[in-house]
Amino acid sequence: MNEVSHNFASYDVLGVPLTVTTPTLTAEAIERWAQDSVGRFVCLRDVASLMAIRDNPDLAPLHRDASVITPDGRPLAELGKRRGLPVEQTSGYDLFDAVCSRSAESGLKHYIYGGDDGVAQRLAEIMREKYPGIAIVGVETPPMGDPDDRTAQATRDRIRESGADVVWVGLSSPRQDAWMWRNHKDLPQTLIGIGAAFDFHTGRKRRAPRIVRVMMLEWLYRLLAEPKRLWKRYLVLLPRFVTLVLVDKGRRERRAFRRHNISPE
C-alpha cells in the first residue's frame, strides 16, 4: 500500500490489505491530503469487487498503490472487527456524504466524474442544495469504453486545471479502479471510486434499508433489485469468497497452533 499518504494499519483479506479505518478517519485523511500535490487514489471494496480484482492478474497489483482500501461492505468490516480491530464499514455512500458535509468548513473542492448521462450534474445539484457552500468545480460524464490517449490527456488536463482537491469517480468497479490506478500519478488530486453511490444519492436506485445492511443482507437486496445484472456477482463470487475465507481462516489457525506448540530447544 502507498505509504506516502497516511500511516493507516491494515488487515489482510485474501491477499488484499484492507485499511483499518472509519468514515470519519478517512474523511479527515482526505482533508489533510488536500494540503499537498501528491496524486492518490482510494478504493472501496465490497466482496464482489474484491474478488473480481483479486482474480484479474492485470488489476490485482493496483491494491499495492492505493493509499486507502476501505471495507465498503459490512462483511469485510466484520472480518476486521473479529480480529479485534477498530474498523467500521466505510461505504462510498457514507464517505461521500461525510466529506461533503464538512466541505463548507474544510474548503475542499470537488470534481464529479462518471455516471450515466446527466447523473453527475444531478448529483452536483443535490449536494449543493444539501450542503450550501460546497465547492463543486467540475462535473463530467465520460463516454463508454476506454478513451484514446488524446482524449485521456484532455480529461486529465480538465481535472488538473479545475483546482479540485478530490475527484469522485463513479464508473463501477473494476473499471473505476483501473482508471484511478492509471491516472493518479499524473494528477495532484485524491481520486475516490464510489461507484453506485452516484445512483443512490440521486435516487436512481434505492439503497438497502439500514436493518438489511446491519444483517449483512445488502447483497440479497441488490440481487433482487437487479437480478440480470448482478446474479454472477452474488451467486458465483460470494460463495467463492466465503469458501476461500474459511480455508484461509483454517490455515491461519493451523499455523498459530503449530507456533504455539513448538517447544524451544
Side-chain angles (χ1 to χ4, degrees):
M1 188 174 293
N2 180 1
E3 293 297 335
V4 302
S5 54
H6 189 76
N7 292 323
F8 282 108
S10 64
Y11 60 104
D12 183 280
V13 176
L14 302 182
V16 177
L18 296 177
T19 305
V20 179
T21 191
T22 68
T24 299
L25 288 176
T26 309
E28 291 172 349
I30 291 166
E31 291 168 359
R32 285 192 293 273
W33 296 339
Q35 299 171 17
D36 62 37
S37 300
V38 178
R40 301 176 175 89
F41 69 101
V42 174
C43 297
L44 291 94
R45 289 281 78 91
D46 61 5
V47 167
S49 67
L50 183 147
M51 292 295 292
I53 293 179
R54 175 184 179 274
D55 291 345
N56 187 326
D58 293 328
L59 293 180
L62 70 81
H63 286 133
R64 294 198 301 261
D65 293 332
S67 293
V68 165
I69 307 172
T70 79
D72 179 272
R74 186 170 289 269
L76 297 181
E78 288 299 319
L79 286 175
K81 288 182 178 180
R82 292 182 183 184
R83 299 180 195 179
L85 300 172
V87 60
E88 295 178 9
Q89 180 182 10
T90 304
S91 69
Y93 182 97
D94 294 328
L95 180 60
F96 182 63
D97 200 60
V99 174
C100 288
S101 70
R102 304 157 57 105
S103 290
E105 180 178 351
S106 70
L108 279 188
K109 296 185 287 293
H110 305 262
Y111 198 104
I112 299 177
Y113 180 83
D116 292 335
D117 287 344
V119 173
Q121 183 63 46
R122 179 59 184 146
L123 180 58
E125 293 169 356
I126 288 171
M127 301 317 286
R128 286 172 178 140
E129 293 172 2
K130 187 174 183 180
Y131 299 116
I134 188 173
I136 298 176
V137 297
V139 173
E140 183 170 346
T141 299
M144 293 297 293
D146 293 327
D148 57 33
D149 291 344
R150 184 175 179 180
T151 301
Q153 184 59 54
T155 297
R156 287 192 292 270
D157 289 344
R158 286 192 296 274
I159 293 174
R160 187 182 300 108
E161 292 166 5
S162 72
D165 300 303
V166 183
V167 182
W168 301 98
V169 185
L171 301 178
S172 79
S173 188
R175 185 186 173 203
Q176 66 190 13
D177 302 282
W179 185 89
M180 294 189 299
W181 188 31
R182 189 165 59 244
N183 288 285
H184 79 284
K185 291 183 179 179
D186 296 319
L187 292 169
Q189 291 94 352
T190 298
L191 316 179
I192 308 174
I194 59 173
F198 277 41
D199 290 332
F200 293 147
H201 274 287
T202 56
R204 296 180 78 242
K205 296 178 182 177
R206 292 185 60 188
R207 194 185 187 197
R210 177 174 174 76
I211 184 61
V212 174
R213 301 197 304 271
V214 169
M215 294 173 66
M216 293 191 286
L217 292 174
E218 186 170 7
W219 66 271
L220 179 59
Y221 181 91
R222 295 194 65 189
L223 175 62
L224 294 175
E226 299 181 83
K228 290 183 179 180
R229 189 174 75 88
L230 299 178
W231 71 269
K232 183 178 180 180
R233 178 184 297 186
Y234 294 122
L235 297 183
V236 176
L237 294 180
L238 183 57
R240 279 190 59 228
F241 171 79
V242 172
T243 300
L244 290 171
V245 165
L246 291 175
V247 170
D248 182 66
K249 181 174 183 289
R251 287 172 179 166
R252 287 188 288 106
E253 289 176 346
R254 287 193 295 273
R255 286 198 297 267
F257 178 81
R258 287 196 293 268
R259 286 197 300 269
H260 181 73
N261 286 277
I262 293 176
S263 300
E265 295 182 358

PDB file of all heavy atoms in Angstrom, residues 1-2 6 20-21 29 56 62 79-80 82 95 103 110 139 141 148 166 189 210 255 262:
ATOM      1  N   MET A   1       0.845  -1.202   0.000  1.00  0.00           N
ATOM      2  CA  MET A   1       0.000   0.000   0.000  1.00  0.00           C
ATOM      3  C   MET A   1       0.881   1.253   0.000  1.00  0.00           C
ATOM      4  O   MET A   1       1.945   1.280   0.596  1.00  0.00           O
ATOM      5  CB  MET A   1      -0.927  -0.005   1.217  1.00  0.00           C
ATOM      6  CG  MET A   1      -1.976   1.104   1.212  1.00  0.00           C
ATOM      7  SD  MET A   1      -3.151   0.955   2.594  1.00  0.00           S
ATOM      8  CE  MET A   1      -4.015  -0.546   2.142  1.00  0.00           C
ATOM      9  N   ASN A   2       0.440   2.265  -0.678  1.00  0.00           N
ATOM     10  CA  ASN A   2       1.188   3.516  -0.792  1.00  0.00           C
ATOM     11  C   ASN A   2       1.321   4.182   0.569  1.00  0.00           C
ATOM     12  O   ASN A   2       0.334   4.564   1.182  1.00  0.00           O
ATOM     13  CB  ASN A   2       0.454   4.433  -1.769  1.00  0.00           C
ATOM     14  CG  ASN A   2       1.158   5.755  -1.948  1.00  0.00           C
ATOM     15  OD1 ASN A   2       2.199   5.999  -1.372  1.00  0.00           O
ATOM     16  ND2 ASN A   2       0.586   6.611  -2.769  1.00  0.00           N
ATOM     17  N   HIS A   6      -0.711   8.204   4.451  1.00  0.00           N
ATOM     18  CA  HIS A   6      -1.099   8.223   5.848  1.00  0.00           C
ATOM     19  C   HIS A   6      -0.766   6.871   6.436  1.00  0.00           C
ATOM     20  O   HIS A   6      -0.857   5.858   5.758  1.00  0.00           O
ATOM     21  CB  HIS A   6      -2.595   8.499   5.979  1.00  0.00           C
ATOM     22  CG  HIS A   6      -3.019   8.742   7.395  1.00  0.00           C
ATOM     23  ND1 HIS A   6      -2.779   9.919   8.046  1.00  0.00           N
ATOM     24  CD2 HIS A   6      -3.651   7.953   8.295  1.00  0.00           C
ATOM     25  CE1 HIS A   6      -3.273   9.848   9.287  1.00  0.00           C
ATOM     26  NE2 HIS A   6      -3.794   8.670   9.449  1.00  0.00           N
ATOM     27  N   VAL A  20      -7.652  -0.253   8.186  1.00  0.00           N
ATOM     28  CA  VAL A  20      -8.362  -0.121   9.464  1.00  0.00           C
ATOM     29  C   VAL A  20      -8.779   1.341   9.586  1.00  0.00           C
ATOM     30  O   VAL A  20      -7.980   2.206   9.956  1.00  0.00           O
ATOM     31  CB  VAL A  20      -7.453  -0.539  10.642  1.00  0.00           C
ATOM     32  CG1 VAL A  20      -8.206  -0.375  11.970  1.00  0.00           C
ATOM     33  CG2 VAL A  20      -6.989  -1.980  10.465  1.00  0.00           C
ATOM     34  N   THR A  21     -10.033   1.614   9.270  1.00  0.00           N
ATOM     35  CA  THR A  21     -10.484   3.000   9.229  1.00  0.00           C
ATOM     36  C   THR A  21     -11.976   3.089   9.513  1.00  0.00           C
ATOM     37  O   THR A  21     -12.654   2.076   9.743  1.00  0.00           O
ATOM     38  CB  THR A  21     -10.155   3.629   7.855  1.00  0.00           C
ATOM     39  OG1 THR A  21     -10.359   5.040   7.918  1.00  0.00           O
ATOM     40  CG2 THR A  21     -11.001   3.030   6.737  1.00  0.00           C
ATOM     41  N   ALA A  29      -8.410  12.179   6.678  1.00  0.00           N
ATOM     42  CA  ALA A  29      -7.209  11.966   5.880  1.00  0.00           C
ATOM     43  C   ALA A  29      -7.320  12.660   4.526  1.00  0.00           C
ATOM     44  O   ALA A  29      -6.369  13.292   4.056  1.00  0.00           O
ATOM     45  CB  ALA A  29      -6.977  10.469   5.687  1.00  0.00           C
ATOM     46  N   ASN A  56      -8.162 -10.969 -11.270  1.00  0.00           N
ATOM     47  CA  ASN A  56      -7.654 -10.406 -12.513  1.00  0.00           C
ATOM     48  C   ASN A  56      -6.169 -10.089 -12.358  1.00  0.00           C
ATOM     49  O   ASN A  56      -5.804  -9.134 -11.665  1.00  0.00           O
ATOM     50  CB  ASN A  56      -8.428  -9.137 -12.865  1.00  0.00           C
ATOM     51  CG  ASN A  56      -8.071  -8.579 -14.231  1.00  0.00           C
ATOM     52  OD1 ASN A  56      -6.930  -8.669 -14.673  1.00  0.00           O
ATOM     53  ND2 ASN A  56      -9.035  -7.991 -14.902  1.00  0.00           N
ATOM     54  N   LEU A  62      -2.948  -3.342  -8.352  1.00  0.00           N
ATOM     55  CA  LEU A  62      -3.313  -1.951  -8.043  1.00  0.00           C
ATOM     56  C   LEU A  62      -3.493  -1.710  -6.554  1.00  0.00           C
ATOM     57  O   LEU A  62      -3.319  -0.585  -6.071  1.00  0.00           O
ATOM     58  CB  LEU A  62      -4.558  -1.521  -8.818  1.00  0.00           C
ATOM     59  CG  LEU A  62      -5.941  -2.087  -8.492  1.00  0.00           C
ATOM     60  CD1 LEU A  62      -6.615  -1.416  -7.299  1.00  0.00           C
ATOM     61  CD2 LEU A  62      -6.854  -1.953  -9.713  1.00  0.00           C
ATOM     62  N   LEU A  79     -15.027  -8.882   9.365  1.00  0.00           N
ATOM     63  CA  LEU A  79     -13.824  -9.705   9.450  1.00  0.00           C
ATOM     64  C   LEU A  79     -12.739  -8.985  10.241  1.00  0.00           C
ATOM     65  O   LEU A  79     -12.003  -9.608  11.019  1.00  0.00           O
ATOM     66  CB  LEU A  79     -13.325 -10.043   8.048  1.00  0.00           C
ATOM     67  CG  LEU A  79     -14.132 -11.073   7.264  1.00  0.00           C
ATOM     68  CD1 LEU A  79     -13.593 -11.206   5.845  1.00  0.00           C
ATOM     69  CD2 LEU A  79     -14.113 -12.428   7.963  1.00  0.00           C
ATOM     70  N   GLY A  80     -12.620  -7.668  10.043  1.00  0.00           N
ATOM     71  CA  GLY A  80     -11.648  -6.897  10.817  1.00  0.00           C
ATOM     72  C   GLY A  80     -12.017  -6.816  12.288  1.00  0.00           C
ATOM     73  O   GLY A  80     -11.173  -6.961  13.172  1.00  0.00           O
ATOM     74  N   ARG A  82     -13.692  -8.905  14.032  1.00  0.00           N
ATOM     75  CA  ARG A  82     -13.489 -10.197  14.702  1.00  0.00           C
ATOM     76  C   ARG A  82     -12.023 -10.454  15.011  1.00  0.00           C
ATOM     77  O   ARG A  82     -11.707 -11.356  15.789  1.00  0.00           O
ATOM     78  CB  ARG A  82     -14.066 -11.317  13.839  1.00  0.00           C
ATOM     79  CG  ARG A  82     -15.589 -11.259  13.762  1.00  0.00           C
ATOM     80  CD  ARG A  82     -16.174 -12.387  12.948  1.00  0.00           C
ATOM     81  NE  ARG A  82     -17.628 -12.249  12.854  1.00  0.00           N
ATOM     82  CZ  ARG A  82     -18.430 -13.129  12.268  1.00  0.00           C
ATOM     83  NH1 ARG A  82     -17.917 -14.233  11.736  1.00  0.00           N
ATOM     84  NH2 ARG A  82     -19.731 -12.923  12.215  1.00  0.00           N
ATOM     85  N   LEU A  95     -19.061   7.727   2.825  1.00  0.00           N
ATOM     86  CA  LEU A  95     -17.846   8.535   2.743  1.00  0.00           C
ATOM     87  C   LEU A  95     -18.099   9.810   1.945  1.00  0.00           C
ATOM     88  O   LEU A  95     -17.669  10.900   2.352  1.00  0.00           O
ATOM     89  CB  LEU A  95     -16.719   7.731   2.098  1.00  0.00           C
ATOM     90  CG  LEU A  95     -15.382   8.461   1.959  1.00  0.00           C
ATOM     91  CD1 LEU A  95     -14.849   8.894   3.321  1.00  0.00           C
ATOM     92  CD2 LEU A  95     -14.358   7.574   1.244  1.00  0.00           C
ATOM     93  N   SER A 103     -17.419  20.096   3.903  1.00  0.00           N
ATOM     94  CA  SER A 103     -16.678  20.854   2.892  1.00  0.00           C
ATOM     95  C   SER A 103     -16.783  22.363   3.033  1.00  0.00           C
ATOM     96  O   SER A 103     -15.843  23.084   2.699  1.00  0.00           O
ATOM     97  CB  SER A 103     -17.131  20.431   1.492  1.00  0.00           C
ATOM     98  OG  SER A 103     -16.678  19.125   1.218  1.00  0.00           O
ATOM     99  N   HIS A 110     -14.428  19.931  -5.119  1.00  0.00           N
ATOM    100  CA  HIS A 110     -14.797  18.611  -5.622  1.00  0.00           C
ATOM    101  C   HIS A 110     -14.981  18.593  -7.140  1.00  0.00           C
ATOM    102  O   HIS A 110     -15.486  19.561  -7.725  1.00  0.00           O
ATOM    103  CB  HIS A 110     -16.115  18.152  -4.982  1.00  0.00           C
ATOM    104  CG  HIS A 110     -16.100  18.170  -3.489  1.00  0.00           C
ATOM    105  ND1 HIS A 110     -15.857  17.055  -2.727  1.00  0.00           N
ATOM    106  CD2 HIS A 110     -16.301  19.187  -2.607  1.00  0.00           C
ATOM    107  CE1 HIS A 110     -15.904  17.372  -1.444  1.00  0.00           C
ATOM    108  NE2 HIS A 110     -16.167  18.667  -1.345  1.00  0.00           N
ATOM    109  N   VAL A 139     -17.827  18.875 -13.331  1.00  0.00           N
ATOM    110  CA  VAL A 139     -18.757  17.757 -13.488  1.00  0.00           C
ATOM    111  C   VAL A 139     -18.530  17.180 -14.881  1.00  0.00           C
ATOM    112  O   VAL A 139     -18.498  17.929 -15.866  1.00  0.00           O
ATOM    113  CB  VAL A 139     -20.225  18.221 -13.347  1.00  0.00           C
ATOM    114  CG1 VAL A 139     -21.176  17.088 -13.675  1.00  0.00           C
ATOM    115  CG2 VAL A 139     -20.486  18.750 -11.940  1.00  0.00           C
ATOM    116  N   THR A 141     -19.244  13.512 -17.464  1.00  0.00           N
ATOM    117  CA  THR A 141     -19.677  12.150 -17.737  1.00  0.00           C
ATOM    118  C   THR A 141     -18.871  11.637 -18.927  1.00  0.00           C
ATOM    119  O   THR A 141     -19.048  12.110 -20.049  1.00  0.00           O
ATOM    120  CB  THR A 141     -21.174  12.093 -18.072  1.00  0.00           C
ATOM    121  OG1 THR A 141     -21.919  12.584 -16.954  1.00  0.00           O
ATOM    122  CG2 THR A 141     -21.602  10.660 -18.379  1.00  0.00           C
ATOM    123  N   ASP A 148      -9.010   7.061 -26.163  1.00  0.00           N
ATOM    124  CA  ASP A 148      -7.679   7.052 -26.763  1.00  0.00           C
ATOM    125  C   ASP A 148      -6.774   7.993 -25.963  1.00  0.00           C
ATOM    126  O   ASP A 148      -7.225   8.701 -25.057  1.00  0.00           O
ATOM    127  CB  ASP A 148      -7.738   7.456 -28.241  1.00  0.00           C
ATOM    128  CG  ASP A 148      -8.369   8.826 -28.471  1.00  0.00           C
ATOM    129  OD1 ASP A 148      -8.205   9.723 -27.614  1.00  0.00           O
ATOM    130  OD2 ASP A 148      -9.026   9.007 -29.515  1.00  0.00           O
ATOM    131  N   VAL A 166     -10.461  16.825  -4.650  1.00  0.00           N
ATOM    132  CA  VAL A 166     -10.958  15.453  -4.654  1.00  0.00           C
ATOM    133  C   VAL A 166     -11.709  15.202  -5.952  1.00  0.00           C
ATOM    134  O   VAL A 166     -12.492  16.047  -6.403  1.00  0.00           O
ATOM    135  CB  VAL A 166     -11.911  15.198  -3.467  1.00  0.00           C
ATOM    136  CG1 VAL A 166     -12.363  13.739  -3.440  1.00  0.00           C
ATOM    137  CG2 VAL A 166     -11.257  15.567  -2.153  1.00  0.00           C
ATOM    138  N   GLN A 189      -4.643  15.374  -7.419  1.00  0.00           N
ATOM    139  CA  GLN A 189      -5.803  15.188  -6.548  1.00  0.00           C
ATOM    140  C   GLN A 189      -5.864  13.790  -5.933  1.00  0.00           C
ATOM    141  O   GLN A 189      -5.142  12.874  -6.335  1.00  0.00           O
ATOM    142  CB  GLN A 189      -7.107  15.424  -7.337  1.00  0.00           C
ATOM    143  CG  GLN A 189      -7.354  16.850  -7.752  1.00  0.00           C
ATOM    144  CD  GLN A 189      -6.868  17.159  -9.148  1.00  0.00           C
ATOM    145  OE1 GLN A 189      -6.208  16.346  -9.778  1.00  0.00           O
ATOM    146  NE2 GLN A 189      -7.196  18.356  -9.643  1.00  0.00           N
ATOM    147  N   ARG A 210     -31.404   0.226   6.446  1.00  0.00           N
ATOM    148  CA  ARG A 210     -30.348   0.035   7.433  1.00  0.00           C
ATOM    149  C   ARG A 210     -30.409  -1.356   8.064  1.00  0.00           C
ATOM    150  O   ARG A 210     -29.380  -2.009   8.250  1.00  0.00           O
ATOM    151  CB  ARG A 210     -30.440   1.108   8.524  1.00  0.00           C
ATOM    152  CG  ARG A 210     -29.401   0.924   9.622  1.00  0.00           C
ATOM    153  CD  ARG A 210     -29.402   2.066  10.622  1.00  0.00           C
ATOM    154  NE  ARG A 210     -28.499   1.791  11.718  1.00  0.00           N
ATOM    155  CZ  ARG A 210     -27.174   1.885  11.660  1.00  0.00           C
ATOM    156  NH1 ARG A 210     -26.600   2.247  10.540  1.00  0.00           N
ATOM    157  NH2 ARG A 210     -26.428   1.622  12.711  1.00  0.00           N
ATOM    158  N   ARG A 255      -1.409 -22.617  11.505  1.00  0.00           N
ATOM    159  CA  ARG A 255      -0.081 -22.020  11.693  1.00  0.00           C
ATOM    160  C   ARG A 255       0.100 -21.532  13.125  1.00  0.00           C
ATOM    161  O   ARG A 255       1.149 -21.725  13.730  1.00  0.00           O
ATOM    162  CB  ARG A 255       0.122 -20.870  10.707  1.00  0.00           C
ATOM    163  CG  ARG A 255       0.361 -21.313   9.271  1.00  0.00           C
ATOM    164  CD  ARG A 255       0.973 -20.181   8.450  1.00  0.00           C
ATOM    165  NE  ARG A 255       0.066 -19.044   8.360  1.00  0.00           N
ATOM    166  CZ  ARG A 255      -0.801 -18.855   7.371  1.00  0.00           C
ATOM    167  NH1 ARG A 255      -0.880 -19.747   6.383  1.00  0.00           N
ATOM    168  NH2 ARG A 255      -1.575 -17.792   7.341  1.00  0.00           N
ATOM    169  N   ILE A 262       5.325 -25.478  19.281  1.00  0.00           N
ATOM    170  CA  ILE A 262       6.746 -25.766  19.050  1.00  0.00           C
ATOM    171  C   ILE A 262       7.536 -25.425  20.304  1.00  0.00           C
ATOM    172  O   ILE A 262       7.541 -24.269  20.746  1.00  0.00           O
ATOM    173  CB  ILE A 262       7.280 -24.984  17.847  1.00  0.00           C
ATOM    174  CG1 ILE A 262       6.625 -25.491  16.551  1.00  0.00           C
ATOM    175  CG2 ILE A 262       8.811 -25.121  17.742  1.00  0.00           C
ATOM    176  CD1 ILE A 262       7.040 -24.704  15.318  1.00  0.00           C
TER     177      ILE A 262
END
